[in-house]
Amino acid sequence: MLQSRPPAVFTDMSARAWAVLAVLSGAIFLEGIDVAMLNVALPSIRADLGLSTGMLSGVVSAYVLGYGGFMLLGGRAADLFGRRRVFLFWLTVFVVFSGLGGFATEGWMLLTARFVTGVAAAFMAPAGLSLITTNFAEGPVRNRALLVYAGVGAGGFSLGMVVGGVLTTFGWRWVFFAPVVLSALILVAALALVRDAEGPRSERGTVDVVGAISVTGAMMLLVYGVVRLEHPGEGPALTAAVFAAGLALLGLFVLTERRVADPLVRLGILRNPNLVRTNVIALLFIGSFAGFQFLAALYFQELRGWSTMETGLAMAVIGIDAILAPLLTPKLVERFGNGRVVFGGVVIAAVAYLLLLPMGLDTAYTAILPALILLGISFALVYGPLTIAGTDGIDEREHGLAGGLLYTAFQFGFALGVSAVTAVHVAALASGASGMDAIRTALFVPVIAVVLAGLLGAFGLRRGAGSTAAEPAEIPATATA
């Protein structure tokens, strides 16, 4: 699979550059739409397979556990073993297990398929992001490629609800079968077009086995602990034990990384304040939207009695980000820089959530529509620039790791956002609040999250490689925090 010589980095958006970008963007679109479509199909899956609430929640959590648990390992694997090789292999795994989920006849079969699909996405996503950053020349060309890539990925997530609603009308299994066709086409195109711009490397380092096991175990336990927060009254002692075990493994991981010659995660990368700020904003922003999406599904389907198709169509306007991200965001970033664009997008999201707070059971959709449009605009302004900032100023040999950190933040944000609004919603209902009042109360969680993101964004995400703390040209193998 490796080339005899590295291909030239794209310095302009030629036809081949657009083709490569389309393939890599198609993969992240596939990952986003896969998640969103399943969320819409859950009620139909429960009815057909007779799943308990716990098993149904487990189907969702299994993907999150696989994705969040293996993300850092996936990012580092791309740097060590070759981005193209890792991307193609795990895209194949994603295709196979996504399709196998459609044949499930028992809950455990679906749970297993979703877990392996999540693991595949954990390796595929950072490898794809690092292929973008290393195949496109740093500067406007790379920024444009990243904004298109991020916009398409976000569009898949938001449009997935619509597509999922349509496919579910023909049967929930089509939610698993339909992506197989798209992913197979992407895989064939990737084999022909995608190249690793660095070419073969004779020394890729060794695998930090203890670090890989400890960080994967820590991430899985912490994500599981966050998922358990959805129902705080159920086994609080076990939830505390899960968090304690996760933190203990994380401590072991840090100690290991400080001592090994070739660490899985060079802790010195976390000295970059821009990278840390970017990841925290990503966690808060995605968490706010994930929480809102969960509450919106409850509002439209359970309180207003809308079908999955109607709910998906109602939310479809958020997919405007897939159009705005490649057309508008690059111009704004070029003129104002990442920091101002991200801050503006976060402020718009805060306004959108505040506009939704007064809604009631008889609120007309036309009154809700402006807030949904604002959310689509905010996604276009925030998601792409965060993707740029996630690798800004980082040595190219660690772009897979940086991508893994960013997607870990996205995944933790998603899990934390859903768990937080669920816990508040359940607590409000338990206190005697009506269904509508409980949703209004839980909506304060997204509001608080984006306000915190806005406070961090006010400090500014610096623009351009020269504006961040540059990584050293040579990264010592023994570098520590």
Side-chain angles (χ1 to χ4, degrees):
M1 292 290 184
L2 292 173
Q3 301 82 16
S4 59
R5 60 184 179 84
V9 174
F10 295 119
T11 57
D12 57 29
M13 296 306 295
S14 62
R16 182 177 176 83
W18 278 111
V20 171
L21 180 58
V23 171
L24 296 173
S25 298
I28 199 66
F29 176 84
L30 177 70
E31 188 268 325
I33 202 171
D34 178 82
V35 175
M37 287 194 304
L38 178 66
N39 290 341
V40 176
L42 287 176
S44 298
I45 294 173
R46 182 213 288 268
D48 188 30
L49 299 184
L51 303 184
S52 66
T53 300
M55 178 60 76
L56 195 68
S57 175
V59 169
V60 177
S61 301
Y63 184 90
V64 175
L65 287 171
Y67 202 149
F70 285 83
M71 182 60 72
L72 287 178
L73 180 59
R76 185 56 176 154
D79 292 331
L80 287 176
F81 304 118
R83 299 173 176 98
R84 180 178 184 269
R85 178 183 295 173
V86 170
F87 178 79
L88 292 175
F89 176 80
W90 287 101
L91 176 57
T92 304
V93 175
F94 188 95
V95 171
V96 172
F97 279 86
S98 181
L100 286 177
F103 292 103
T105 56
E106 300 287 342
W108 68 266
M109 297 171 66
L110 195 56
L111 189 147
T112 302
R114 293 307 295 168
F115 177 78
V116 178
T117 303
V119 173
F123 283 83
M124 185 175 71
L129 177 60
S130 59
L131 281 169
I132 294 282
T133 60
T134 54
N135 275 276
F136 292 82
E138 188 172 12
V141 174
R142 179 185 295 176
N143 288 351
R144 183 172 185 81
L146 284 171
L147 289 171
V148 171
Y149 177 78
V152 172
F157 187 75
S158 54
L159 292 175
M161 293 189 68
V162 182
V163 179
V166 173
L167 291 175
T168 304
T169 61
F170 297 101
W172 64 265
R173 297 182 188 277
W174 283 104
V175 168
F176 293 89
F177 294 148
V180 172
V181 178
L182 174 61
S183 52
L185 293 174
I186 292 172
L187 179 59
V188 171
L191 286 168
L193 294 171
V194 175
R195 297 290 179 264
D196 197 329
E198 289 190 348
R201 288 161 59 183
S202 58
E203 296 183 5
R204 293 191 181 276
T206 58
V207 178
D208 172 16
V209 178
V210 176
I213 294 173
S214 58
V215 75
T216 300
M219 293 298 102
M220 291 182 66
L221 285 170
L222 291 175
V223 170
Y224 178 56
V226 167
V227 170
R228 286 187 59 83
L229 289 177
E230 295 178 11
H231 303 283
E234 298 179 5
L238 177 58
T239 301
V242 169
F243 274 117
L247 292 173
L249 282 178
L250 194 60
L252 173 62
F253 169 71
V254 172
L255 290 175
T256 301
E257 301 311 278
R258 294 177 66 91
R259 289 175 168 80
V260 297
D262 194 7
L264 180 70
V265 175
R266 187 179 64 83
L267 298 180
I269 197 173
L270 299 179
R271 290 199 192 113
N272 187 319
N274 192 60
L275 180 142
V276 174
R277 189 185 302 116
T278 297
N279 281 272
V280 176
I281 292 175
L283 184 150
L284 292 169
F285 181 77
I286 293 299
S288 70
F289 181 75
F292 158 75
Q293 187 184 52
F294 176 81
L295 293 175
L298 291 180
Y299 172 73
F300 286 123
Q301 294 186 53
E302 294 193 359
L303 295 186
R304 302 193 66 163
W306 291 15
S307 67
T308 55
M309 172 77 82
E310 291 171 325
T311 300
L313 291 175
M315 300 284 284
V317 68
I318 299 176
I320 193 176
D321 69 295
I323 300 172
L324 294 179
L327 297 179
L328 177 63
T329 309
K331 298 177 182 178
L332 295 177
V333 168
E334 185 177 350
R335 179 166 183 177
F336 300 107
N338 277 327
R340 291 186 179 90
V341 173
V342 168
F343 179 70
V346 170
V347 170
I348 290 173
V351 171
Y353 295 135
L354 288 171
L355 288 175
L356 291 169
L357 285 176
M359 70 180 181
L361 291 176
D362 57 350
T363 301
Y365 177 70
T366 52
I368 300 172
L369 183 60
L372 299 181
I373 293 174
L374 288 177
L375 283 176
I377 295 172
S378 72
F379 239 101
L381 297 181
V382 175
Y383 196 88
L386 282 179
T387 305
I388 296 174
T391 56
D392 194 16
I394 305 298
D395 188 281
E396 288 195 356
R397 286 170 293 177
E398 293 187 311
H399 276 193
L401 171 59
L405 288 169
L406 180 64
Y407 283 111
T408 297
F410 283 149
Q411 201 59 36
F412 262 96
F414 187 91
L416 190 59
V418 173
S419 297
V421 297
T422 301
V424 173
H425 183 259
V426 170
L429 289 175
S431 68
S434 67
M436 192 65 244
D437 286 338
I439 284 182
R440 287 197 198 97
T441 302
L443 267 174
F444 279 101
V445 174
V447 172
I448 293 171
V450 292
V451 167
L452 292 175
L455 291 175
L456 285 172
F459 289 99
L461 294 168
R462 303 170 196 170
R463 180 185 179 190
S467 63
T468 57
E471 295 293 304
E474 296 294 329
I475 304 174
T478 57
T480 66

